[in-house]
């Protein structure tokens, strides 16, 4: 199954529209939203065309294609206006025999790992910085893939707005112009 991952829309109707155009162009089967969907948060500037009501309308139209997790900016009121679940701390997906643990990143991240086995993947947003790398195992932790699609609306560290695609065991991070920012092949344990 081809999946698109996006994080940190922060209420930007402009970037939500760009994200949905990319989703259609990519022909992904599901859109996985990694939190911070509607609210910009007190530490962020207002994103381009900040319009949470428009974002709600755009995303609700795809309610049967979206998997979403709670970010640090989500609240119960967000769940009241969105027609798909957004309050889970994580979502588990399978890629071959490996687990892909999708979360926002404010609870589970590289400094506080969820339960992972060798060659599983942890994908999160929250930092607004894209990443695709393998972390070798140690006595305490198995080797795992650390993935972050970056931010759709408010990228940091001079990055461009990005999203991720997981297709046939390859995770790619792309800009809206189709430019690849990073790519990694996930090892399969099959």
């Amino acid at each position: 199954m081809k999946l698109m991952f996006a994080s940190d829309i922060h209420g930007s109707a402009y970037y939500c529209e760009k994200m949905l155009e990319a989703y259609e162009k990519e022909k992904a089967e599901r859109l996985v939203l990694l939190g911070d969907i509607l609210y910009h948060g007190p530490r962020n500037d207002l994103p381009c065309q900040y319009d949470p009501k428009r974002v709600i309308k755009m995303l609700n139209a795809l309610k049967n294609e979206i998997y979403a997790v709670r970010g640090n900016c989500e609240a119960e009121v967000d769940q009241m206006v969105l027609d798909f679940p957004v309050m889970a701390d994580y979502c588990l997906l399978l890629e071959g025999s490996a687990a892909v643990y999708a979360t926002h990143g404010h609870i589970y991240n590289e400094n506080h790992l969820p339960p992972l086995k060798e060659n599983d993947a942890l994908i999160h947003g929250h930092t607004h910085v894209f990443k695709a790398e393998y972390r070798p195992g140690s006595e305490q932790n198995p080797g795992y893939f650390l993935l972050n699609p970056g931010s759709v609306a408010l990228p940091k560290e001079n990055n461009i707005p990005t999203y991720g695609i997981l297709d046939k065991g390859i995770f790619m991070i792309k800009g809206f112009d189709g430019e690849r920012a990073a790519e990694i092949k996930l090892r399969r344990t099959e």
Side-chain angles (χ1 to χ4, degrees):
M1 177 181 291
K2 186 174 185 180
L3 300 172
M4 180 172 167
F5 292 85
S7 190
D8 299 282
I9 301 167
H10 288 289
S12 171
Y14 176 81
Y15 283 109
C16 184
E17 191 170 337
K18 287 215 169 273
M19 175 192 72
L20 294 179
E21 287 169 2
Y23 176 68
E24 186 175 318
K25 183 179 175 186
E26 293 283 355
K27 294 182 173 43
E29 296 169 69
R30 294 286 189 274
L31 175 59
V32 183
L33 298 177
L34 300 175
D36 287 0
I37 298 169
L38 300 177
Y39 181 55
H40 68 91
R43 294 178 296 185
N44 297 311
D45 293 331
L46 283 174
C48 181
Q49 293 182 19
Y50 181 68
D51 189 349
K53 287 182 181 179
R54 214 165 118 216
V55 171
I56 292 165
K57 186 175 181 180
M58 286 187 274
L59 294 178
N60 280 344
L62 293 174
K63 66 182 179 182
N64 293 329
E65 298 178 41
I66 294 175
Y67 299 151
V69 297
R70 178 179 67 88
N72 56 300
C73 290
E74 259 73 58
E76 288 182 30
V77 69
D78 298 327
Q79 186 60 81
M80 293 169 64
V81 296
L82 292 167
D83 293 338
F84 51 91
V86 296
M87 296 305 288
D89 285 330
Y90 63 90
C91 173
L92 283 177
L93 307 163
L94 294 177
E95 175 60 35
S97 62
V100 177
Y101 194 99
T103 189
H104 180 62
H106 65 298
I107 296 173
Y108 293 106
N109 52 56
E110 62 191 291
N111 298 316
H112 183 233
L113 294 174
L116 298 173
K117 288 186 172 184
E118 189 71 28
N119 293 326
D120 282 350
L122 169 63
I123 182 166
H124 68 80
H126 186 57
T127 64
H128 300 222
V129 179
F130 67 80
K131 186 176 286 191
E133 60 188 46
Y134 179 75
R135 294 287 177 97
S138 65
E139 285 185 28
Q140 295 83 16
N141 296 308
Y144 69 97
F145 292 89
L146 180 61
L147 310 172
N148 187 323
S151 173
V152 170
L154 295 169
K156 294 185 179 174
E157 296 185 9
N158 296 315
N159 286 315
I160 60 172
T162 52
Y163 63 92
I165 293 290
L166 179 58
D167 188 25
K168 298 178 183 147
I170 297 175
F171 183 75
M172 295 169 281
I173 300 171
K174 296 181 174 183
F176 291 121
D177 61 0
E179 172 187 347
R180 288 187 185 183
E183 182 175 312
I184 192 167
K185 181 175 182 170
L186 305 184
R187 289 186 212 153
R188 293 188 172 203
T189 56
E190 304 172 328

